[in-house]
Amino acid sequence: MQLISAYLMVVLIWSSTPVAIQFSLTGLEFFTALSLRMWASAVLSLLLVAAFRQRLALSRQALVSYVAGSVGIYGAMMAVYWGAAYIPSGLISVIYGLAPMLAGALGYVWLKERELTPARIIALLIALCGLAVVVSARTSLDGLAWRGIAGALLSVIFFAVSAVWVKQANAGLHPVVQTSGTLWVSSLMYLITVPVFGFHWPETWQPQAIGAISYLVICGSLLAFVLYFYILRHLPTSRVTLITLMAPALAMLWGYILKDERLQLSTFAGALVLLSGLAMYQWHHGFDRFLRKIARGVTKKEQKSTTECP
């Protein structure tokens, strides 16, 4: 029951994260808004570690796990924050639905998780066709939409790599410790890259930005990542990343309610094809059995024709 509750909570928080990111950019440059969020999250995470009566592990395996997690917090967040200004928040979440497939493919190669089947390969092709429709629809409507799509795609890749790498590191850390260590490694990386992107403290703060950053610190970074690392310890990587398949519908709802975002018909159709491919990828067993029956039927026909030949 605890695992299910944690899973649903992460779905709820991550579905609202894209629109919260866009609100946090009100009057702020993307790197300033993001680094403030992560630095505040890292400091508060120490209080969380103390509250759970844990302490940060500094073994080699733990440090590797922190670095692996930071790929998802530094790399993925940098990409999605950069692209968030160019596409609707709901579309970001739809593109993030590719995460289960990427994680499954990486797990197949990296962790030897044999979950790629003929049905899943077909599902991947369907999803990519849907993504192609989404990309063509958005870029034809807005010349700068490619930046948002590219940022979201790059973010998904980093997210999937991070999930599989943390699983492979298998450090056995408490979720609170994993979260805090990952946030501190990520915060250090943000600090190092300040000269590259620049940090600009605003003269006036917009209430939307303050509220959104506060929500992202408390829920988006601390609560969500603690729950995420908790379920990652107990479920296969591809099942954990299924969260990104469940979140898009809610994300589009939040975007519609909070920002009056409306997807074009062609974009919506592409998103529907993409999510259909993702659904087939996750619930592939029936289709696999169907394909095996067809393959057996073809094999029997070939054998029969061979025996009938003089």
Side-chain angles (χ1 to χ4, degrees), residues 129-131 133-134 263-276:
C129 289
L131 179 62
V133 173
V134 169
L263 295 180
Q264 299 293 326
L265 182 60
S266 54
T267 303
F268 183 79
L272 188 61
V273 173
L274 171 58
L275 294 176
S276 297

Side-chain angles (χ1 to χ4, degrees), residues 8 29 38 49 60 65 77 86 95 101 121 132 135 137 147 159 166 229 257:
L8 293 176
E29 294 183 2
M38 294 307 166
V49 171
R60 182 182 179 278
S65 189
M77 290 296 106
Y86 303 102
I95 294 174
M101 291 185 175
I121 293 173
V135 171
R147 295 184 180 181
F159 174 77
V166 169
F229 287 125
I257 293 174

Side-chain angles (χ1 to χ4, degrees), residues 45 73 140 154 208 266:
S45 71
I73 293 184
S140 63
L154 188 59
Q208 284 184 337
S266 54

Side-chain angles (χ1 to χ4, degrees), residues 153-298:
L153 285 173
L154 188 59
S155 180
V156 173
I157 293 171
F158 281 130
F159 174 77
V161 169
S162 176
V164 176
W165 193 3
V166 169
K167 194 76 173 179
Q168 189 268 340
N170 194 28
L173 300 173
H174 190 282
V176 168
V177 174
Q178 175 71 61
T179 299
S180 184
T182 299
L183 284 170
W184 276 102
V185 171
S186 301
S187 295
L188 178 61
M189 295 174 71
Y190 284 114
L191 186 61
I192 292 172
T193 49
V194 165
V196 178
F197 297 99
F199 184 88
H200 304 94
W201 191 268
E203 294 182 1
T204 57
W205 281 87
Q206 299 295 325
Q208 284 184 337
I210 296 173
I213 291 176
S214 300
Y215 172 77
L216 289 169
V217 168
I218 296 171
C219 296
S221 293
L222 294 176
L223 180 58
F225 277 112
V226 168
L227 296 175
Y228 166 70
F229 287 125
Y230 167 70
I231 61 178
L232 191 60
R233 287 181 61 185
H234 295 87
L235 294 174
T237 310
S238 58
R239 295 292 180 268
V240 176
T241 50
L242 176 59
I243 292 170
T244 58
L245 173 58
M246 301 171 66
L250 276 175
M252 287 188 279
L253 179 63
W254 296 132
Y256 176 77
I257 293 174
L258 299 175
K259 295 195 69 180
D260 197 29
E261 292 180 348
R262 302 171 188 271
L263 295 180
Q264 299 293 326
L265 182 60
S266 54
T267 303
F268 183 79
L272 188 61
V273 173
L274 171 58
L275 294 176
S276 297
L278 296 175
M280 183 186 293
Y281 182 88
Q282 289 299 329
W283 297 287
H284 62 102
H285 299 291
F287 192 42
D288 269 325
R289 287 193 293 269
F290 176 71
L291 291 177
R292 283 195 294 268
K293 286 181 180 179
I294 293 177
R296 284 197 295 268
V298 172

Side-chain angles (χ1 to χ4, degrees), residues 13-35:
I13 294 173
W14 280 3
S15 69
S16 62
T17 295
V19 70
I21 287 174
Q22 291 186 334
F23 278 127
S24 73
L25 297 176
T26 306
L28 292 174
E29 294 183 2
F30 88 94
F31 184 79
T32 302
L34 177 55
S35 55

